[in-house]
């Protein structure tokens, strides 16, 4: 008798279980480290085996206020007891409040709330295309993007990112993206045509390896956009919400976008994304043009409001900038001490990349062995993403761990000199 699909699956699972140490019913799309946590506090995570880790990943730039921030935890708990969800069939006062505050703090007039970075980016792409459509130029759909970019894992945002390894095997690539080398203004000029709608830039490429766009490049992109009637979109999903030492990275570049995507740290750990736009850029997005069941739910909004309360308190960003300076100075010492491990230090605020000499995965593993958690990125970079509330003593602790990890790598990378004892 033929086996049912489910029986077949069970058999495959059993076969797999015999050949793997970690068995799981999860779709294995992540190459996970065999480590789990049961609680956290500030910059620290406690593993299920009781070991304490200094967390310089912050859930990939999400937990900007550290773990279990009392203000965020209380806001989420309190809101959960009142209302978690009502849908966008009705007004959501918390949504209006968070939109007001994001607009007061930025270039924007309008906000659409989503649940993730990719969704925020989808809204940004749709908003740019619709702007031209309602302007009588529906053929203007193409968006200029940059090599090394990352904009998410939906079909359109994958096409925008243009990474072959992520697109392969998923059928036709969504049309409408023209990719040029990062920071290459001449290439941007060459590719602008009658169907171009927008230029999409990460002010700092995060996943791409903490590659910082120069202010001159951003300014010239703005000028080009204005000259050709294009919209300028910034993907600040990773750089936004304080990560670079201002609420938004664009604020210290002197260049304002027309549309901006936010997510990662916006909810202080709670999933929420947002697409911000000027009234002009957003004018095509009328009733019925876009939507989300969960987007802007009261629970996510409470998390976002609490996060903003903390970040917008006087002195918060002064402290982030001071901590950043200290971390960069100490990392520069590490680079001088370990030239065989650390090639370069780059980034802004607390979005810092160490370009590694050894394979970056080895460096991340060596740091984890010292109980310091970091994230690999493109261009052989190790990303340091401490929570924005990290203390000076924790920076000193991290530097000690980086020093030990780099020394350990030197010992394994370089064979002991001939004749040396031992
Ligand atoms: C993480 C990230 C995204 C995607 O966010 P998700 O919440 O994973 O969908 C998009 N753009 C940038 C710059 C990011 O760093």
């Amino acid at each position: 008798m033929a086996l049912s699909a489910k029986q077949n699956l069970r058999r495959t699972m059993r076969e797999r279980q015999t050949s793997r140490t970690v068995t799981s019913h999860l779709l294995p799309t992540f190459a996970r480290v065999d480590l789990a946590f049961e609680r956290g506090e500030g910059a620290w995570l406690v593993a299920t085996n009781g070991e304490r880790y200094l967390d310089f990943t912050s859930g990939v730039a999400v937990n900007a206020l550290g773990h279990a921030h009392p203000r965020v935890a209380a806001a989420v708990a309190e809101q959960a007891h009142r209302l978690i969800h009502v849908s966008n069939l009705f007004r959501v006062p918390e949504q209006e409040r968070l939109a007001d505050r994001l607009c007061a703090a930025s270039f924007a007039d309008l906000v659409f709330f989503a649940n993730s970075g990719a969704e925020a980016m989808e809204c940004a792409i749709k908003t740019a295309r619709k702007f031209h459509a309602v302007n009588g130029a529906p053929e203007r759909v193409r968006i200029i993007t940059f090599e090394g970019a990352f904009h998410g894992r939906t079909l359109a945002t994958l096409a925008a990112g243009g990474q072959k390894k992520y697109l392969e095997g998923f059928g036709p690539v969504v049309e409408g993206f023209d990719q040029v080398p990062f920071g290459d203004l001449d290439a941007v000029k060459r590719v602008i045509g009658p169907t171009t709608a927008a230029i999409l830039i990460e002010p700092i490429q995060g996943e791409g390896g903490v590659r910082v766009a120069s202010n001159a490049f951003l300014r010239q992109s703005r000028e080009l956009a204005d000259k050709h009637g294009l919209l300028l979109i910034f993907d600040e999903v990773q750089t936004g919400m304080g990560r670079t030492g201002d609420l938004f990275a664009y604020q210290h570049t002197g260049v304002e976008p027309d549309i901006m995507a936010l997510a990662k740290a916006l909810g202080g750990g709670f999933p929420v994304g947002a697409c911000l736009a000027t009234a002009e850029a957003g004018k095509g997005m009328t009733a019925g043009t876009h939507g989300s069941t969960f987007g802007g739910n009261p629970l996510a909004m409470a998390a976002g409001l609490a996060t903003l309360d903390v970040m917008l308190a006087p002195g918060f960003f002064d402290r982030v900038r001071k901590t950043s300076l200290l971390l960069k100075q100490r990392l520069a010492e590490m680079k001088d001490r370990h030239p065989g491990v650390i090639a370069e230090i780059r980034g802004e605020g607390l979005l810092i990349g160490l370009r590694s000499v050894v394979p970056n995965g080895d460096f991340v593993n060596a740091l984890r062995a010292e109980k310091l958690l970091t994230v690999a990125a493109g261009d052989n970079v190790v990303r340091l993403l401490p929570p924005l509330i990290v203390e000076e003593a924790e920076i000193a602790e991290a530097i000690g761990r980086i020093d030990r990890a780099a020394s350990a790598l030197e010992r394994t990378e370089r064979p002991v000199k001939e004749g040396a004892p031992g």
Side-chain angles (χ1 to χ4, degrees):
M1 203 177 71
L3 291 175
S4 73
K6 182 127 189 179
Q7 281 169 323
N8 261 324
L9 177 68
R10 287 251 163 76
R11 203 170 63 178
T12 316
M13 289 295 305
R14 261 199 312 277
E15 280 161 7
R16 220 185 276 156
Q17 281 166 8
T18 57
S19 62
R20 290 197 312 182
T21 47
V22 181
T23 59
S24 170
H25 288 280
L26 297 174
L27 201 62
T29 58
F30 295 100
R32 295 171 195 270
V33 174
D34 188 11
L35 181 64
F37 302 99
E38 61 176 25
R39 65 197 156 83
E41 192 187 340
W44 296 88
L45 275 171
V46 181
T48 45
N49 63 6
E51 288 173 344
R52 283 168 62 81
Y53 285 80
L54 188 51
D55 182 12
F56 275 30
T57 67
S58 300
V60 194
V62 168
N63 307 299
L65 304 180
H67 297 283
H69 191 284
R71 195 74 174 261
V72 177
V76 169
E78 196 245 345
Q79 184 65 45
H81 283 286
R82 277 194 291 142
L83 263 184
I84 291 178
H85 178 82
V86 292
S87 89
N88 289 304
L89 296 172
F90 309 101
R91 284 181 54 196
V92 180
E94 297 83 359
Q95 214 181 98
E96 292 170 18
R97 268 212 303 285
L98 185 54
D100 286 349
R101 292 183 70 184
L102 287 173
C103 290
S106 74
F107 69 94
D109 306 302
L110 298 167
V111 184
F112 178 86
F113 286 106
N115 312 287
S116 67
E119 281 177 85
M121 273 309 309
E122 287 275 341
C123 180
I125 294 165
K126 287 178 72 175
T127 301
R129 287 182 170 185
K130 196 73 169 180
F131 166 81
H132 292 292
V134 299
N135 273 350
E139 71 285 0
R140 298 184 75 166
V141 296
R142 304 195 71 81
I143 296 178
I144 299 168
T145 67
F146 295 91
E147 288 169 11
F150 183 78
H151 299 295
R153 297 287 201 136
T154 61
L155 288 169
T157 56
L158 279 180
Q163 302 255 10
K164 284 198 182 59
K165 63 178 177 184
Y166 294 152
L167 285 162
E168 247 165 40
F170 296 111
V173 176
V174 172
E175 252 304 299
F177 299 93
D178 295 308
Q179 200 160 49
V180 300
F182 190 52
D184 186 341
L185 197 78
D186 289 329
V188 176
K189 281 182 192 160
R190 277 197 299 274
V191 85
I192 291 175
T195 58
T196 306
I199 304 172
L200 166 57
I201 311 177
E202 288 162 271
I204 301 176
Q205 288 189 341
E207 312 294 317
V210 192
R211 297 163 78 204
V212 184
S214 73
N215 288 354
F217 174 70
L218 295 176
R219 195 175 55 247
Q220 289 160 343
S221 297
R222 175 75 269 177
E223 287 164 9
L224 267 183
D226 292 342
K227 183 172 157 206
H228 294 275
L230 312 177
L231 295 174
L232 183 62
I233 307 172
F234 283 172
D235 180 347
E236 290 226 31
V237 168
Q238 187 155 163
T239 55
M241 302 311 292
R243 182 48 59 188
T244 67
D246 281 291
L247 188 58
F248 307 114
Y250 82 80
Q251 290 171 320
H252 50 252
T253 67
V255 177
E256 288 191 350
D258 303 294
I259 300 173
M260 174 170 75
L262 297 176
K264 291 197 162 84
L266 179 55
F270 197 90
V272 54
C275 174
L276 281 64
T278 62
E280 177 64 10
K283 70 183 178 185
M285 299 302 277
T286 51
T289 56
H290 196 47
S292 165
T293 299
F294 290 122
N297 65 79
L299 196 57
M301 299 298 98
L305 287 166
T307 302
L308 269 188
D309 284 344
V310 178
M311 287 191 183
L312 296 180
F316 184 87
F317 293 114
D318 293 335
R319 199 170 159 278
V320 173
R321 286 191 284 265
K322 207 170 134 227
T323 314
S324 162
L325 198 63
L326 173 72
L327 179 55
K328 280 184 166 174
Q329 283 167 345
R330 300 297 315 272
L331 287 171
E333 292 166 25
M334 288 300 105
K335 176 177 168 284
D336 292 344
R337 249 169 89 80
H338 302 286
V341 178
I342 302 172
E344 185 192 346
I345 293 150
R346 59 200 194 196
E348 303 264 352
L350 291 174
L351 172 49
I352 296 182
L354 307 181
R355 197 160 56 78
S356 182
V357 178
V358 303
N360 59 350
D362 293 354
F363 199 176
V364 168
N365 290 342
L367 291 166
R368 193 172 59 251
E370 295 294 335
K371 309 274 189 289
L372 177 66
L373 302 175
T374 59
V375 202
D379 206 17
N380 207 34
V381 160
V382 174
R383 255 180 304 174
L384 303 183
L385 299 163
L388 306 184
I389 48 87
V390 69
E391 306 269 342
E392 286 194 9
E394 289 159 345
I395 296 284
E397 184 60 45
I399 292 294
R401 294 177 188 209
I402 291 167
D403 194 14
R404 289 197 294 278
S407 298
L409 283 168
E410 284 160 353
R411 285 195 298 274
T412 53
E413 292 297 311
R414 293 179 191 163
V416 182
K417 272 197 226 107
E418 268 178 314

